[in-house]
């Protein structure tokens, strides 16, 4: 079935017509494949050639002679797959996913449709887990993992409890199987994941099991920097997570170091790299944002094979390696395997308590260490001596003594500190602790607002975005308490009638004459809210040696009252003056969405004022070549940006039909989308026009109220007044941008172009052409994951920050 779908897509391009021979790169061009999806195209060609459905010629690395598949043949394959699935109960979700992807494979390859949006619009990845993790093979392997951990727990002896580390716990599929079984044994279980959101979900799910702990952990990073020290755990469990590491070999090395001598590494992986069903479905998700630096960088693989895992384990000195299912087991053909390996059995495990007691019998008290760590090797300098500086860096960070004024100073601050302690699962919170440094993120802010409304009277009417905007500026108990007092008209309240005039908002770090300032320019809603996940990552990873600021509209009323014509130029000039007013002279400028166009104008003004613009980066920035006057079309675009399903509001559910309808209006009146233009379209577009006409008869207040009800929980909660303000700001921004005629930019630009769908107002080609024509210097195009509305999400923010770190020579993370 999968081979038939690959063949159908390749045949439709005509690239192999008449016996033509082409390289994989040429085939990728014919499919308009994104850079990362060319990896999948190459894998298709190898799979077809390996089954004599295509001829590969090694001499010039070309492919030819694609064997066609008829429609009846393809249908027979689908029917047979369905019959066999029913017979053995494999996974109905996987077949459903394959059918859904098969219908849109060309668009998946070209990036016009994103895999997440196609399969799970507006939802988490639970369905993906069901599709390719909850299947016959993985159910059996989970039972094996549970049986192994039960036996290890039952046989554990010694003065310390069995310590288990789960890496990449995610939605807790494996945890849910293990925790009930391990509850009867003396176990300390540490659930980890890179996402604070999943940690909080796990805290709630396993709240009755007090022996389960939670911590952020990224296996691609140094464990020590994440407060995990060597020789700490008896068992490490990884369920379908190690292949996601940039370097699987390095990841196993880090986990080996965390294990005590004789500790067990238990992991589940797909070892069948050429998994044809995944190649036309979920592999589009697996390659999203991946940049492998292990063997896969050179082999073109997505997954390591059984023999490669065994070789990797051998390289780390693993012993007693067992894997299931066995080679003769029927399930071996699935490629899903569980590995159990003993690590470091060439040495003896000595508990820290035993070391401390022995030392106490032989040394005077003043000579006893206050910190104990058991390490596999001592670090060495280049000339072979013990690296004392590195040893010193391994000491726990000394925390400054808590002074009196750091403690919550009143009942409100105490309530907030208690809520943060509970929400973030930390031992205690002072009034100046940073919410994001403690592991918080924008998703946890949304949850905090819900609990604030229940517990703190001053917060009863709070809106999620209002709190988050404040938290992005001053994310401390003291800062939030001051904000709440201001709402109540007490000591921190602003003077009535005052209007903020400074568009520059300090976000992180401190200004230094030796460091440039990184500037995040607001998007269409006139605020820096779309950067919230990125700002969280900056706070989490940067010590703050360099300054990061945001630029947003300071006076919304004046912004909304201004005529759209010339507004972009005026805003950019004001922003540049504000940025340089306090002596800043070096900048990295970043702009997302409509903010990319504003950022370009800001960078131009900064350069003309004599400041140094070290880099300009625009992220998924659209560039409409028409004037938009259609109120309802602006409302449609706003709803999509907010993550709302337009169909829930009465708009058409096909974004491409809306785009085609807008093109039809532009064809009739070049350069302008007039108000009511889509509603007046002829019968050919009645499906779109009818929706717009019916909505035009609904009062805007009613439409806004529907938006408040339809906005997904992950985007927060909104009251009608607040949603209206956001929409009006967005509409004004769109009207201003579509009346803005940019001049060429003399410097270099980096364009971060998203891989996903390109709905209205432009195609990938049109958006790319815009930046090619605008840039007089060098244009560097970097493809990033997600679509326009998700590329800065919690999922993609770490990858964006890594890219920006390279573009700013590390300034954004210093």
């Amino acid at each position: 079935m999968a081979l038939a779908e690959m063949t159908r897509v390749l045949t439709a391009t005509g690239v192999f017509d008449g016996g033509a021979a082409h390289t994989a790169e040429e085939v990728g061009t014919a499919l308009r494949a994104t850079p990362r999806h060319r990896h999948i195209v190459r894998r298709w060609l190898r799979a077809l050639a390996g089954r004599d459905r295509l001829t590969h010629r090694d001499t010039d690395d070309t492919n030819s002679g694609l064997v066609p598949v008829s429609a009846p043949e393809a249908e027979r394959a689908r029917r047979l797959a369905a019959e066999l699935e029913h017979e053995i109960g494999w996974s109905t979700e996987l077949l459903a996913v394959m059918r859904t992807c098969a219908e849109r494979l060309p668009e998946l390859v070209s990036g016009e449709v994103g895999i997440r949006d196609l399969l799970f619009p507006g939802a988490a990845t639970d369905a993906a887990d069901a599709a390719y993790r909850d299947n016959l093979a993985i159910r059996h392997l989970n039972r094996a993992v549970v049986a192994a951990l039960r036996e290890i727990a039952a046989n554990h002896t010694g003065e310390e409890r069995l310590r288990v580390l789960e890496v990449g716990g995610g939605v807790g599929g494996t945890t849910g199987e293990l925790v009930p079984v391990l509850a009867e044994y003396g176990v300390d279980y540490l659930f980890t994941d890179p996402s604070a959101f999943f940690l909080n979900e796990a805290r709630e799910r396993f709240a009755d099991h007090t022996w389960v702990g939670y911590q952020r952990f990224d296996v691609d990073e140094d464990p020590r920097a994440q407060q995990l020290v060597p020789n700490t755990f008896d068992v490490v469990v990884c369920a379908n997570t190690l292949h996601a590491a940039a370097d699987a070999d390095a990841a196993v090395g880090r986990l080996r170091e965390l294990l005590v001598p004789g500790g067990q590494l238990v992991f589940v992986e797909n070892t069948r790299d050429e998994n044809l069903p995944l190649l036309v479905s979920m592999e589009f998700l697996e390659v999203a944002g991946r940049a492998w630096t292990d063997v896969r960088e050179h082999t073109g693989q997505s997954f390591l094979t059984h023999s490669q895992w065994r070789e990797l384990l051998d390289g780390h000195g693993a012993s007693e390696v067992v894997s299931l299912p066995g080679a003769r087991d029927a399930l071996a053909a699935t490629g899903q395997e569980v590995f159990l390996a003993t690590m470091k059995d060439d040495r003896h495990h000595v508990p820290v308590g035993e070391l401390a007691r022995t030392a106490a019998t032989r040394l005077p008290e003043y000579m006893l260490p206050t910190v104990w760590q058991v390490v596999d090797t001592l670090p060495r300098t280049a000339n072979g001596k013990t690296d004392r500086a590195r040893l010193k860096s391994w000491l726990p960070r000394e925390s400054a003594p808590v002074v009196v004024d750091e403690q919550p100073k009143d009942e409100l601050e105490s309530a907030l500190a208690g809520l943060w302690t509970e929400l973030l699962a930390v031992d205690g919170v002072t009034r100046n602790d940073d919410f994001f440094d403690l592991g918080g993120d924008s998703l946890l802010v949304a949850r905090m607002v819900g609990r604030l409304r229940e517990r703190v009277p001053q917060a009863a009417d709070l809106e999620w975005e209002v709190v988050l905007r404040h938290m992005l500026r001053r994310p401390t108990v003291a800062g939030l308490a001051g904000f709440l007092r201001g709402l109540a008209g007490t000591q921190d309240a602003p003077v009535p009638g005052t209007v903020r005039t400074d568009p520059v908002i300090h976000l992180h770090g401190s200004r230094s004459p030796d460091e440039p300032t990184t500037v995040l320019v607001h998007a269409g809603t006139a605020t820096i809210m779309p950067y919230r996940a990125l700002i969280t990552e900056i706070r989490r990873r940067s010590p703050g040696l360099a300054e990061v600021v945001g630029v947003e509209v300071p006076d919304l009323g004046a912004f909304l009252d201004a005529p759209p014509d010339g507004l972009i130029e005026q805003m950019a000039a004001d922003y540049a003056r504000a940025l340089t007013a306090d002596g800043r002279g070096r900048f990295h400028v970043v702009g997302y969405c409509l903010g990319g166009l504003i950022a370009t104008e800001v960078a131009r003004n900064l350069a003309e004022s004599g400041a140094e613009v070290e880099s300009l980066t625009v992220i998924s920035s659209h560039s409409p070549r028409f004037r938009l006057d259609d109120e309802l079309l602006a409302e449609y675009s706003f709803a999509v940006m907010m993550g709302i399903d337009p169909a829930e509001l009465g708009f058409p559910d096909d974004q491409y039909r809306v785009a085609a309808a807008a093109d039809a209006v532009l064809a009739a009146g070049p350069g302008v989308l007039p108000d009511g233009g889509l509603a007046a379209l002829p019968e050919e577009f009645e499906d779109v026009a009818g929706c717009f006409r019916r909505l035009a008869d609904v009062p805007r207040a009613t439409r806004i109220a529907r938006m408040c009800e339809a906005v997904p929980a992950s985007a927060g909660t909104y009251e009608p007044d607040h949603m209206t303000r956001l929409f009006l700001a967005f509409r004004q921004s769109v009207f201003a941008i579509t009346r803005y005629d940019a001049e060429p930019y003399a410097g270099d630009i980096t364009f971060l172009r998203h891989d996903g769908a390109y709905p209205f107002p432009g195609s990938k080609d049109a958006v790319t052409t815009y930046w090619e024509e605008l840039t007089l210097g060098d244009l560097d195009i970097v493809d990033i994951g997600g679509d326009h509305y998700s590329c800065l999400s919690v999922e993609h923010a770490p990858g964006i920050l890594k890219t920006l770190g390279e573009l700013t020579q590390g300034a954004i993370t210093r």
Side-chain angles (χ1 to χ4, degrees):
M1 177 180 168
L3 289 166
E5 297 302 342
M6 297 175 196
T7 302
R8 177 183 62 81
V9 173
L10 292 170
T11 300
T13 66
V15 70
F16 294 118
D17 288 356
H22 290 283
T23 64
E25 193 64 24
E26 291 169 340
V27 175
T29 300
L31 286 168
R32 298 186 300 117
T34 67
R36 59 171 46 91
H37 290 158
R38 289 176 187 250
H39 167 75
I40 289 180
V41 173
R42 288 190 292 270
R43 288 164 63 75
W44 283 6
L45 297 174
R46 284 202 298 270
L48 290 165
R51 289 158 181 80
D52 296 325
R53 294 169 176 255
L54 188 71
T55 300
H56 178 77
R57 192 164 59 194
D58 291 332
T59 54
D60 56 1
D61 202 23
T62 59
N63 305 275
S64 61
L66 179 65
V67 178
V69 174
S70 67
E73 286 180 281
E75 184 54 37
R76 279 196 297 273
R78 293 190 192 96
R79 282 201 306 270
L80 178 58
E83 291 168 5
L84 292 172
E85 192 290 319
H86 180 72
E87 182 180 337
I88 68 168
W90 173 259
S91 170
T92 55
E93 290 86 358
L94 181 58
L95 287 183
V97 164
M98 284 188 64
R99 283 191 291 268
T100 302
C101 291
E103 296 171 0
R104 306 291 288 274
L105 265 182
E107 294 159 282
L108 283 171
V109 173
S110 67
E112 295 174 57
V113 170
I115 184 71
R116 292 181 183 276
D117 299 324
L118 177 62
L119 298 176
F120 328 108
T125 59
D126 298 20
D129 295 333
Y132 73 114
R133 293 182 179 178
D134 181 21
N135 54 58
L136 184 66
I138 205 66
R139 288 195 295 271
H140 281 262
L141 296 183
N142 273 341
R143 293 173 192 167
V145 171
V146 170
L149 267 291
R150 179 191 285 116
E151 183 171 338
I152 292 170
N155 294 327
H156 180 70
T157 59
E159 63 182 60
E160 299 171 329
R161 292 162 63 92
L162 182 75
R163 296 158 299 177
V164 179
L165 169 68
E166 183 179 359
V167 176
V171 296
T174 301
T175 325
E177 300 273 355
L178 283 173
V179 165
V181 172
L182 296 178
E184 62 182 282
Y185 302 98
V187 175
D188 288 330
Y189 195 103
L190 183 60
F191 176 101
T192 70
D193 196 88
S195 166
F197 178 76
F198 285 130
L199 292 177
N200 208 57
E201 292 289 303
R203 285 189 190 103
E204 294 192 0
R205 181 178 174 186
F206 304 111
D208 293 338
H209 300 281
T210 56
W211 46 276
V212 179
Y214 310 90
Q215 181 174 329
R216 280 175 54 88
F217 177 64
D218 185 344
V219 75
D220 279 328
E221 304 291 337
D222 178 14
R224 285 183 179 278
Q226 302 173 79
Q227 286 73 57
L228 293 181
V229 296
N231 293 284
T232 305
F233 298 96
D234 301 287
V235 184
V236 172
V237 179
C238 310
N240 283 296
T241 57
L242 284 179
H243 70 266
D247 187 326
D249 187 44
V252 169
R254 296 185 187 102
L255 298 180
R256 177 188 184 276
E257 189 175 26
L258 291 174
L259 283 164
V260 301
Q264 301 291 316
L265 175 63
V266 182
F267 63 94
V268 177
E269 277 295 335
N270 169 43
T271 59
R272 181 175 150 202
D273 180 56
E274 192 183 69
N275 191 317
L276 302 184
L278 294 187
L279 266 174
V280 294
S281 58
M282 296 309 300
E283 190 152 329
F284 285 93
L285 183 64
E286 293 292 350
V287 303
R290 300 290 186 263
W292 290 296
T293 55
D294 55 21
V295 64
R296 292 170 290 181
E297 181 182 8
H298 310 290
T299 62
Q301 296 173 236
S302 295
F303 303 92
L304 298 180
T305 64
H306 174 91
S307 60
Q308 287 171 325
W309 279 117
R310 290 300 299 257
E311 183 180 348
L312 186 155
L313 290 170
D314 288 344
H316 287 283
S319 61
E320 300 178 1
V321 179
V322 176
S323 63
L324 296 172
R328 296 183 180 180
D329 192 302
L331 286 175
T334 68
Q336 295 280 353
E337 292 189 63
V338 59
F339 291 82
L340 298 93
T342 301
M343 310 299 286
K344 300 193 294 195
D345 70 347
D346 59 337
R347 60 199 71 194
H348 182 67
H349 173 45
V350 182
V352 166
E354 183 179 335
L355 285 173
R357 287 193 300 272
T358 302
T361 65
R362 303 190 180 191
L363 296 173
E365 185 175 352
Y366 73 90
M367 293 182 66
L368 290 175
T370 56
V371 176
W372 289 88
Q373 284 185 29
V374 179
V375 299
D376 293 341
T377 59
L378 288 177
R380 302 292 181 185
T381 62
N383 58 11
K385 295 183 178 180
T386 300
D387 190 338
R388 296 181 178 275
R390 191 173 175 199
L391 274 175
K392 188 175 181 180
S393 73
W394 289 358
L395 286 169
R397 295 178 183 175
E398 294 184 11
S399 56
V402 176
V403 294
V404 174
D405 66 359
E406 283 188 323
Q407 299 304 315
K409 70 177 187 180
D410 59 19
E411 185 177 344
L412 174 59
E413 290 190 3
S414 296
L416 292 175
L419 175 57
W420 287 22
T421 299
E422 170 191 322
L423 191 67
L424 298 167
V426 294
D427 293 335
V429 176
T430 73
R431 67 190 308 265
N432 294 318
D433 281 334
D434 187 304
F435 181 84
F436 301 103
D437 283 346
L438 295 174
D441 57 24
S442 58
L443 294 173
L444 288 180
V445 172
R447 181 164 293 168
M448 180 184 70
V449 172
R451 296 184 185 179
L452 271 175
R453 288 171 172 163
E454 299 170 359
R455 304 182 190 182
V456 180
Q458 297 96 314
D461 298 323
L462 275 180
E463 292 174 338
W464 168 81
E465 185 178 2
V466 173
V467 176
L468 181 53
R469 286 185 66 197
H470 178 82
M471 292 283 287
L472 291 178
R473 300 185 182 99
R474 197 176 170 202
T476 63
V477 164
L480 182 55
F483 171 69
L484 294 174
R485 294 189 197 101
L487 295 178
T490 53
Q491 63 188 65
D492 292 336
V495 178
T498 58
V499 174
R500 188 165 61 87
T501 58
D502 188 358
V504 181
I505 297 167
H506 178 266
L507 296 174
H508 186 62
S510 56
R511 195 182 317 170
S512 165
D514 301 322
E515 294 283 358
T517 296
T518 300
V519 183
L520 306 180
V521 179
H522 69 79
T525 54
T527 73
I528 57 170
M529 282 295 292
Y531 297 102
R532 56 186 180 268
L534 179 63
I535 294 169
T536 297
E537 286 300 313
I538 292 171
R539 289 181 182 277
R540 182 171 293 134
R541 300 183 184 280
S542 166
L545 301 179
E547 183 185 36
V548 180
V549 301
V551 169
E552 64 178 20
V553 170
D555 182 356
L556 183 60
F559 173 70
L560 296 179
D561 291 340
D565 294 278
L567 183 56
I568 298 300
E569 293 89 334
Q570 183 58 54
M571 291 166 59
D574 292 344
Y575 294 164
R577 280 195 294 272
L579 285 166
T580 56
D582 292 337
R584 300 181 184 92
R586 298 165 56 206
F587 298 92
H588 294 285
V589 184
V590 180
Y592 161 70
C593 186
L594 301 180
L597 307 180
I598 302 172
T600 305
E601 200 66 28
V602 169
R604 187 199 316 280
N605 276 269
L606 287 172
E608 291 175 354
S609 71
E612 183 180 355
V613 178
E614 298 189 5
S615 72
L616 168 60
T617 305
V618 294
I619 305 173
S620 187
S621 189
H622 284 220
S623 53
R625 298 295 185 91
F626 52 80
R627 194 181 81 203
L628 176 64
D629 293 334
D630 194 315
E631 293 266 345
L632 272 176
L633 190 54
E635 202 169 296
Y636 169 85
S637 299
F638 173 73
V640 174
M641 183 205 67
M642 294 294 293
I644 299 171
D645 180 358
E648 291 191 39
L649 307 178
F651 286 109
D653 60 359
D654 187 341
Q655 59 186 349
Y656 295 101
R657 284 293 289 168
V658 175
D663 288 340
V665 174
L666 287 170
V672 180
L673 277 171
D675 195 22
L678 270 73
L681 280 169
E683 185 175 348
E684 178 188 356
F685 288 99
E686 177 57 27
D687 57 329
V688 175
C691 290
F692 276 75
R693 282 198 303 272
R694 288 188 290 274
L695 282 169
D697 294 332
V698 178
R700 174 182 284 165
T702 303
R703 300 197 303 264
I704 292 289
R706 289 177 183 171
M707 287 185 186
C708 294
E709 295 173 358
V711 68
S714 60
T717 56
Y718 298 84
E719 297 299 326
D721 286 350
H722 187 203
M723 186 70 82
T724 300
R725 291 195 301 273
L726 287 177
F727 165 66
L728 293 176
F730 178 84
R731 183 192 63 177
Q732 178 74 325
S733 296
V734 172
F735 283 7
I737 286 293
T738 60
R739 288 159 173 78
Y740 162 64
D741 186 16
E743 296 180 1
Y745 180 74
D748 301 335
I749 298 179
T750 299
F751 174 35
L752 305 191
R753 181 176 62 184
H754 70 262
D755 272 355
Y758 277 78
F760 172 83
S763 66
K764 175 183 282 190
D765 290 341
V767 172
T768 303
T769 299
Y770 173 86
W771 292 106
E772 289 173 342
E773 294 176 351
L774 186 75
T775 310
L776 295 181
D778 292 332
L779 175 66
D780 187 14
I781 299 177
V782 178
D783 284 294
I784 58 175
D787 61 20
H788 177 67
Y789 303 104
S790 67
C791 63
L792 284 182
S793 66
V794 171
E795 174 191 3
H796 295 293
I800 294 291
L801 180 58
K802 182 178 180 181
T803 300
L804 290 176
E806 296 168 355
L807 296 173
T808 62
Q809 291 83 50
I812 196 170
T813 52
R814 277 203 289 274

